[in-house]
mmCIF file of all heavy atoms in Angstrom:
data_model
loop_
_atom_site.group_PDB
_atom_site.id
_atom_site.type_symbol
_atom_site.label_atom_id
_atom_site.label_comp_id
_atom_site.label_asym_id
_atom_site.label_seq_id
_atom_site.Cartn_x
_atom_site.Cartn_y
_atom_site.Cartn_z
ATOM 1 N N SER A 1 -7.135 85.795 -10.761
ATOM 2 C CA SER A 1 -7.070 86.891 -11.617
ATOM 3 C C SER A 1 -5.814 86.919 -12.624
ATOM 4 O O SER A 1 -6.004 87.287 -13.773
ATOM 5 C CB SER A 1 -7.061 88.229 -10.882
ATOM 6 O OG SER A 1 -5.920 88.390 -10.049
ATOM 7 N N ASP A 2 -4.658 86.467 -11.984
ATOM 8 C CA ASP A 2 -3.477 86.517 -12.853
ATOM 9 C C ASP A 2 -2.496 85.322 -12.374
ATOM 10 O O ASP A 2 -2.442 85.089 -11.182
ATOM 11 C CB ASP A 2 -2.830 87.806 -12.953
ATOM 12 C CG ASP A 2 -2.348 88.332 -11.611
ATOM 13 O OD1 ASP A 2 -3.100 88.934 -10.875
ATOM 14 O OD2 ASP A 2 -1.107 88.028 -11.221
ATOM 15 N N ILE A 3 -1.843 84.759 -13.360
ATOM 16 C CA ILE A 3 -1.028 83.631 -13.091
ATOM 17 C C ILE A 3 0.262 83.835 -13.807
ATOM 18 O O ILE A 3 0.349 84.029 -14.834
ATOM 19 C CB ILE A 3 -1.705 82.292 -13.489
ATOM 20 C CG1 ILE A 3 -2.937 82.031 -12.745
ATOM 21 C CG2 ILE A 3 -0.784 81.151 -13.298
ATOM 22 C CD1 ILE A 3 -3.852 80.889 -13.246
ATOM 23 N N THR A 4 1.352 83.620 -12.922
ATOM 24 C CA THR A 4 2.708 83.745 -13.441
ATOM 25 C C THR A 4 3.296 82.351 -13.419
ATOM 26 O O THR A 4 3.360 81.738 -12.461
ATOM 27 C CB THR A 4 3.646 84.730 -12.795
ATOM 28 O OG1 THR A 4 3.058 85.937 -12.803
ATOM 29 C CG2 THR A 4 5.065 84.698 -13.305
ATOM 30 N N VAL A 5 3.698 81.833 -14.709
ATOM 31 C CA VAL A 5 4.267 80.475 -14.790
ATOM 32 C C VAL A 5 5.837 80.664 -14.887
ATOM 33 O O VAL A 5 6.350 81.369 -15.723
ATOM 34 C CB VAL A 5 3.775 79.774 -16.082
ATOM 35 C CG1 VAL A 5 4.471 78.395 -16.162
ATOM 36 C CG2 VAL A 5 2.293 79.618 -16.024
ATOM 37 N N VAL A 6 6.458 80.082 -13.945
ATOM 38 C CA VAL A 6 7.984 80.124 -13.785
ATOM 39 C C VAL A 6 8.531 78.723 -14.149
ATOM 40 O O VAL A 6 8.223 77.828 -13.377
ATOM 41 C CB VAL A 6 8.390 80.643 -12.473
ATOM 42 C CG1 VAL A 6 9.850 80.633 -12.339
ATOM 43 C CG2 VAL A 6 7.781 81.883 -11.998
ATOM 44 N N ASN A 7 9.223 78.568 -15.235
ATOM 45 C CA ASN A 7 9.747 77.347 -15.626
ATOM 46 C C ASN A 7 11.156 77.372 -16.425
ATOM 47 O O ASN A 7 11.362 78.364 -17.091
ATOM 48 C CB ASN A 7 8.645 76.633 -16.540
ATOM 49 C CG ASN A 7 8.926 75.136 -16.712
ATOM 50 O OD1 ASN A 7 8.917 74.488 -15.658
ATOM 51 N ND2 ASN A 7 9.052 74.708 -17.944
ATOM 52 N N ARG A 8 11.893 76.332 -16.306
ATOM 53 C CA ARG A 8 13.180 76.333 -16.879
ATOM 54 C C ARG A 8 12.974 76.138 -18.495
ATOM 55 O O ARG A 8 13.766 76.672 -19.235
ATOM 56 C CB ARG A 8 14.091 75.265 -16.325
ATOM 57 C CG ARG A 8 14.407 75.367 -14.875
ATOM 58 C CD ARG A 8 15.549 74.640 -14.393
ATOM 59 N NE ARG A 8 15.608 74.787 -12.946
ATOM 60 C CZ ARG A 8 16.117 75.919 -12.320
ATOM 61 N NH1 ARG A 8 16.639 76.964 -13.060
ATOM 62 N NH2 ARG A 8 16.271 76.026 -10.945
ATOM 63 N N SER A 9 12.057 75.272 -18.890
ATOM 64 C CA SER A 9 11.791 75.039 -20.329
ATOM 65 C C SER A 9 10.854 76.170 -20.741
ATOM 66 O O SER A 9 9.688 76.284 -20.320
ATOM 67 C CB SER A 9 11.064 73.829 -20.538
ATOM 68 O OG SER A 9 10.524 73.593 -21.840
ATOM 69 N N GLU A 10 11.309 77.014 -21.738
ATOM 70 C CA GLU A 10 10.580 78.130 -22.216
ATOM 71 C C GLU A 10 9.399 77.504 -23.089
ATOM 72 O O GLU A 10 8.238 78.074 -22.975
ATOM 73 C CB GLU A 10 11.336 78.959 -23.161
ATOM 74 C CG GLU A 10 10.512 80.102 -23.743
ATOM 75 C CD GLU A 10 11.324 81.204 -24.488
ATOM 76 O OE1 GLU A 10 12.596 80.965 -24.569
ATOM 77 O OE2 GLU A 10 10.705 82.058 -25.142
ATOM 78 N N GLU A 11 9.587 76.468 -23.768
ATOM 79 C CA GLU A 11 8.475 75.948 -24.570
ATOM 80 C C GLU A 11 7.266 75.539 -23.797
ATOM 81 O O GLU A 11 6.154 75.913 -24.137
ATOM 82 C CB GLU A 11 9.038 74.660 -25.422
ATOM 83 C CG GLU A 11 7.982 74.070 -26.320
ATOM 84 C CD GLU A 11 8.591 73.000 -27.077
ATOM 85 O OE1 GLU A 11 9.723 72.511 -26.829
ATOM 86 O OE2 GLU A 11 7.890 72.310 -27.926
ATOM 87 N N LYS A 12 7.526 74.835 -22.760
ATOM 88 C CA LYS A 12 6.381 74.319 -21.927
ATOM 89 C C LYS A 12 5.791 75.519 -21.022
ATOM 90 O O LYS A 12 4.628 75.613 -20.987
ATOM 91 C CB LYS A 12 6.817 73.135 -20.991
ATOM 92 C CG LYS A 12 7.199 71.832 -21.683
ATOM 93 C CD LYS A 12 7.704 70.840 -20.700
ATOM 94 C CE LYS A 12 6.507 70.326 -19.886
ATOM 95 N NZ LYS A 12 7.026 69.225 -19.009
ATOM 96 N N GLY A 13 6.659 76.276 -20.489
ATOM 97 C CA GLY A 13 6.145 77.382 -19.678
ATOM 98 C C GLY A 13 5.389 78.382 -20.462
ATOM 99 O O GLY A 13 4.183 78.806 -19.980
ATOM 100 N N ALA A 14 5.902 78.766 -21.578
ATOM 101 C CA ALA A 14 5.246 79.742 -22.415
ATOM 102 C C ALA A 14 3.858 79.113 -22.948
ATOM 103 O O ALA A 14 2.874 79.898 -23.076
ATOM 104 C CB ALA A 14 6.110 80.196 -23.591
ATOM 105 N N ALA A 15 3.800 77.841 -23.282
ATOM 106 C CA ALA A 15 2.607 77.202 -23.815
ATOM 107 C C ALA A 15 1.606 77.261 -22.782
ATOM 108 O O ALA A 15 0.380 77.519 -23.087
ATOM 109 C CB ALA A 15 2.952 75.823 -24.363
ATOM 110 N N LEU A 16 1.877 77.001 -21.510
ATOM 111 C CA LEU A 16 0.961 77.032 -20.434
ATOM 112 C C LEU A 16 0.364 78.363 -20.177
ATOM 113 O O LEU A 16 -0.837 78.637 -19.974
ATOM 114 C CB LEU A 16 1.478 76.449 -19.127
ATOM 115 C CG LEU A 16 0.638 76.503 -17.860
ATOM 116 C CD1 LEU A 16 -0.652 75.756 -18.111
ATOM 117 C CD2 LEU A 16 1.354 75.781 -16.691
ATOM 118 N N ALA A 17 1.249 79.351 -20.203
ATOM 119 C CA ALA A 17 0.719 80.656 -19.958
ATOM 120 C C ALA A 17 -0.145 81.278 -21.113
ATOM 121 O O ALA A 17 -1.152 81.891 -20.843
ATOM 122 C CB ALA A 17 2.032 81.636 -19.828
ATOM 123 N N GLU A 18 0.241 80.820 -22.320
ATOM 124 C CA GLU A 18 -0.616 81.140 -23.506
ATOM 125 C C GLU A 18 -1.951 80.472 -23.294
ATOM 126 O O GLU A 18 -3.041 81.109 -23.661
ATOM 127 C CB GLU A 18 0.116 80.726 -24.733
ATOM 128 C CG GLU A 18 -0.619 81.129 -25.939
ATOM 129 C CD GLU A 18 0.021 80.707 -27.266
ATOM 130 O OE1 GLU A 18 1.087 79.983 -27.174
ATOM 131 O OE2 GLU A 18 -0.444 81.091 -28.424
ATOM 132 N N LEU A 19 -1.972 79.261 -23.009
ATOM 133 C CA LEU A 19 -3.287 78.565 -22.755
ATOM 134 C C LEU A 19 -4.180 79.178 -21.814
ATOM 135 O O LEU A 19 -5.442 79.546 -22.087
ATOM 136 C CB LEU A 19 -2.977 77.053 -22.342
ATOM 137 C CG LEU A 19 -4.216 76.376 -21.814
ATOM 138 C CD1 LEU A 19 -5.091 75.899 -23.001
ATOM 139 C CD2 LEU A 19 -3.784 75.099 -21.056
ATOM 140 N N ILE A 20 -3.634 79.632 -20.548
ATOM 141 C CA ILE A 20 -4.388 80.225 -19.513
ATOM 142 C C ILE A 20 -4.961 81.701 -20.065
ATOM 143 O O ILE A 20 -6.016 82.109 -19.827
ATOM 144 C CB ILE A 20 -3.453 80.459 -18.338
ATOM 145 C CG1 ILE A 20 -3.103 79.051 -17.686
ATOM 146 C CG2 ILE A 20 -4.362 81.352 -17.331
ATOM 147 C CD1 ILE A 20 -4.283 78.274 -17.355
ATOM 148 N N ASP A 21 -4.000 82.366 -20.742
ATOM 149 C CA ASP A 21 -4.342 83.767 -21.213
ATOM 150 C C ASP A 21 -5.407 83.728 -22.355
ATOM 151 O O ASP A 21 -6.319 84.540 -22.309
ATOM 152 C CB ASP A 21 -3.010 84.403 -21.736
ATOM 153 C CG ASP A 21 -2.841 85.826 -21.616
ATOM 154 O OD1 ASP A 21 -3.438 86.354 -20.514
ATOM 155 O OD2 ASP A 21 -2.452 86.499 -22.506
ATOM 156 N N GLN A 22 -5.351 82.691 -23.159
ATOM 157 C CA GLN A 22 -6.334 82.772 -24.313
ATOM 158 C C GLN A 22 -7.623 82.039 -24.000
ATOM 159 O O GLN A 22 -8.627 82.254 -24.581
ATOM 160 C CB GLN A 22 -5.552 82.132 -25.549
ATOM 161 C CG GLN A 22 -4.414 82.905 -26.011
ATOM 162 C CD GLN A 22 -3.874 82.333 -27.345
ATOM 163 O OE1 GLN A 22 -4.335 81.241 -27.792
ATOM 164 N NE2 GLN A 22 -2.907 83.096 -27.918
ATOM 165 N N LYS A 23 -7.583 80.889 -23.189
ATOM 166 C CA LYS A 23 -8.724 80.086 -22.828
ATOM 167 C C LYS A 23 -9.470 80.269 -21.629
ATOM 168 O O LYS A 23 -10.510 79.721 -21.464
ATOM 169 C CB LYS A 23 -8.222 78.633 -23.021
ATOM 170 C CG LYS A 23 -7.530 78.234 -24.283
ATOM 171 C CD LYS A 23 -8.563 78.312 -25.532
ATOM 172 C CE LYS A 23 -7.963 77.805 -26.814
ATOM 173 N NZ LYS A 23 -8.936 77.811 -27.946
ATOM 174 N N THR A 24 -8.976 81.189 -20.798
ATOM 175 C CA THR A 24 -9.728 81.477 -19.558
ATOM 176 C C THR A 24 -9.750 82.970 -19.279
ATOM 177 O O THR A 24 -9.204 83.761 -20.011
ATOM 178 C CB THR A 24 -8.976 80.847 -18.303
ATOM 179 O OG1 THR A 24 -7.933 81.555 -17.897
ATOM 180 C CG2 THR A 24 -8.573 79.383 -18.552
ATOM 181 N N ALA A 25 -10.407 83.348 -18.256
ATOM 182 C CA ALA A 25 -10.628 84.731 -18.001
ATOM 183 C C ALA A 25 -9.347 85.405 -17.298
ATOM 184 O O ALA A 25 -9.248 86.560 -17.106
ATOM 185 C CB ALA A 25 -11.842 85.042 -17.178
ATOM 186 N N ALA A 26 -8.485 84.506 -16.785
ATOM 187 C CA ALA A 26 -7.351 85.052 -16.072
ATOM 188 C C ALA A 26 -6.180 85.482 -17.056
ATOM 189 O O ALA A 26 -6.189 85.062 -18.231
ATOM 190 C CB ALA A 26 -6.675 83.919 -15.275
ATOM 191 N N SER A 27 -5.467 86.434 -16.625
ATOM 192 C CA SER A 27 -4.290 86.864 -17.325
ATOM 193 C C SER A 27 -3.119 85.930 -16.866
ATOM 194 O O SER A 27 -3.005 85.615 -15.783
ATOM 195 C CB SER A 27 -4.026 88.269 -17.288
ATOM 196 O OG SER A 27 -3.624 88.624 -15.883
ATOM 197 N N ALA A 28 -2.170 85.832 -17.821
ATOM 198 C CA ALA A 28 -0.979 84.874 -17.586
ATOM 199 C C ALA A 28 0.236 85.254 -18.287
ATOM 200 O O ALA A 28 0.159 85.877 -19.296
ATOM 201 C CB ALA A 28 -1.386 83.496 -17.862
ATOM 202 N N LYS A 29 1.396 85.140 -17.737
ATOM 203 C CA LYS A 29 2.629 85.350 -18.394
ATOM 204 C C LYS A 29 3.649 84.316 -17.958
ATOM 205 O O LYS A 29 3.521 83.580 -16.895
ATOM 206 C CB LYS A 29 3.159 86.781 -18.020
ATOM 207 C CG LYS A 29 3.651 86.887 -16.486
ATOM 208 C CD LYS A 29 4.144 88.261 -16.254
ATOM 209 C CE LYS A 29 4.523 88.531 -14.781
ATOM 210 N NZ LYS A 29 5.026 89.823 -14.544
ATOM 211 N N PHE A 30 4.700 84.241 -18.723
ATOM 212 C CA PHE A 30 5.755 83.224 -18.578
ATOM 213 C C PHE A 30 7.030 84.006 -18.164
ATOM 214 O O PHE A 30 7.448 85.054 -18.690
ATOM 215 C CB PHE A 30 6.018 82.404 -19.831
ATOM 216 C CG PHE A 30 7.283 81.651 -19.842
ATOM 217 C CD1 PHE A 30 7.548 80.672 -18.859
ATOM 218 C CD2 PHE A 30 8.411 82.072 -20.564
ATOM 219 C CE1 PHE A 30 8.756 79.940 -18.842
ATOM 220 C CE2 PHE A 30 9.645 81.383 -20.532
ATOM 221 C CZ PHE A 30 9.781 80.328 -19.650
ATOM 222 N N VAL A 31 7.751 83.388 -17.085
ATOM 223 C CA VAL A 31 9.037 83.899 -16.700
ATOM 224 C C VAL A 31 10.085 82.796 -16.740
ATOM 225 O O VAL A 31 9.825 81.770 -16.096
ATOM 226 C CB VAL A 31 8.962 84.555 -15.340
ATOM 227 C CG1 VAL A 31 10.437 84.981 -14.910
ATOM 228 C CG2 VAL A 31 8.074 85.727 -15.299
ATOM 229 N N ALA A 32 11.079 83.018 -17.424
ATOM 230 C CA ALA A 32 12.211 81.974 -17.512
ATOM 231 C C ALA A 32 12.867 81.741 -16.174
ATOM 232 O O ALA A 32 13.257 82.841 -15.455
ATOM 233 C CB ALA A 32 13.324 82.234 -18.624
ATOM 234 N N TRP A 33 13.049 80.537 -15.659
ATOM 235 C CA TRP A 33 13.745 80.263 -14.356
ATOM 236 C C TRP A 33 15.127 79.832 -14.700
ATOM 237 O O TRP A 33 15.479 78.737 -14.525
ATOM 238 C CB TRP A 33 12.868 79.083 -13.831
ATOM 239 C CG TRP A 33 12.982 78.948 -12.309
ATOM 240 C CD1 TRP A 33 13.697 79.694 -11.509
ATOM 241 C CD2 TRP A 33 12.369 77.887 -11.478
ATOM 242 N NE1 TRP A 33 13.625 79.279 -10.192
ATOM 243 C CE2 TRP A 33 12.834 78.135 -10.171
ATOM 244 C CE3 TRP A 33 11.622 76.878 -11.717
ATOM 245 C CZ2 TRP A 33 12.488 77.351 -9.165
ATOM 246 C CZ3 TRP A 33 11.295 76.011 -10.757
ATOM 247 C CH2 TRP A 33 11.588 76.229 -9.422
ATOM 248 N N ASN A 34 15.865 80.846 -14.771
ATOM 249 C CA ASN A 34 17.309 80.663 -14.995
ATOM 250 C C ASN A 34 18.258 81.228 -13.887
ATOM 251 O O ASN A 34 19.466 81.198 -14.096
ATOM 252 C CB ASN A 34 17.757 81.233 -16.452
ATOM 253 C CG ASN A 34 17.309 82.685 -16.516
ATOM 254 O OD1 ASN A 34 17.075 83.391 -15.597
ATOM 255 N ND2 ASN A 34 17.033 83.061 -17.764
#
């Protein structure tokens, strides 16, 4: 149902969350791993 992507690189992490959010039925968000 929902996926949280936790990653040090914002570019890659945000891109993956956006892909899931826009291309699948799941909701997704990115959290910076700092």
Side-chain angles (χ1 to χ4, degrees):
S1 60
D2 60 276
I3 297 173
T4 300
V5 179
V6 181
N7 196 55
R8 299 197 185 282
S9 164
E10 180 176 354
E11 181 179 2
K12 291 179 69 175
L16 176 53
E18 183 179 8
L19 171 70
I20 299 301
D21 212 33
Q22 294 186 357
K23 300 294 184 180
T24 76
S27 63
K29 66 178 180 179
F30 164 70
V31 175
W33 198 2
N34 48 28

